């Protein structure tokens, strides 16, 4: 991982608060967060590949997808998605069922075990993130919170909603 504040970093030029300099720092933070996220998922009782986890998350958010829709969501081919579903079904994480109205269509859904595994991973990830955030002071967490809200709003083309509490509140715990 690159440390943008290190002496000799060739990428940092000009103002440290310009969009490009901040983008490079955020890229490093995202890489660190991605590593934290992946490590937390791998510490779950059942280890899943990132691809398997994406498939389960897709089925969690859209139960009843068929294989074609899942392949599209994962941006993969049908044979690859089918083999992925075979492995997830063999592990007891998803089940296939015939569509009630279209007999040739198979619907995919998480099993209770699949939902439990996703819940465990989400818990581990939240705990890992909370541990990292606990190392920050309240003002730093509040600034990060405001910054993330502003970033998400900018990405959506909107204005961030007002923070909870008073306009000058800086507590995010």
């Amino acid at each position: 991982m690159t440390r943008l504040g290190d002496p000799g970093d060739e990428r940092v030029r000009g103002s440290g608060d310009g969009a490009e300099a901040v983008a490079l720092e955020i890229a490093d933070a995202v890489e660190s967060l991605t590593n934290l996220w992946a490590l937390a998922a791998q510490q779950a009782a059942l280890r899943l590949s990132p691809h398997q986890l994406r498939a389960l998350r897709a089925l969690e958010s859209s139960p009843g997808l068929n294989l074609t829709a899942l392949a599209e969501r994962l941006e993969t081919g049908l044979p690859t998605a089918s083999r992925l579903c075979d492995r997830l079904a063999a592990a007891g994480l998803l089940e296939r069922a015939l569509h009630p109205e279209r007999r040739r269509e198979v619907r995919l859904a998480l099993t209770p075990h699949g939902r439990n595994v996703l819940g465990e991973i989400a818990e581990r990830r939240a705990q890992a993130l909370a541990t990292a955030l606990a190392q920050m002071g309240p003002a730093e967490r509040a600034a990060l919170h405001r910054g993330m809200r502003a970033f998400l709003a900018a990405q959506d083309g909107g204005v961030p909603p007002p923070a909870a509490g008073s306009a000058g509140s800086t507590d995010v715990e």
Side-chain angles (χ1 to χ4, degrees), residues 3-93:
R3 291 283 173 222
L4 293 174
D6 286 352
D9 189 336
E10 301 284 328
R11 297 189 303 169
V12 178
R13 303 196 193 291
S15 172
D17 62 353
E20 288 183 25
V22 172
L24 291 172
E25 289 182 16
I26 290 173
D28 282 346
V30 167
E31 183 178 338
S32 178
L33 180 60
T34 301
N35 290 336
L36 178 140
W37 218 239
L39 182 60
Q42 290 304 307
Q43 292 172 343
L46 180 63
R47 290 186 176 191
L48 298 172
S49 73
H51 202 60
Q52 291 170 326
L53 189 53
R54 281 185 62 218
L56 292 178
R57 288 278 182 220
L59 292 172
E60 179 183 46
S61 66
S62 300
L65 287 177
N66 64 23
L67 188 60
T68 301
L70 180 63
E72 288 172 2
R73 288 253 178 121
L74 299 177
E75 297 177 346
T76 189
L78 281 172
T80 301
S82 181
R83 286 189 302 274
L84 176 64
C85 288
D86 289 343
R87 288 189 299 274
L88 293 171
L93 301 171

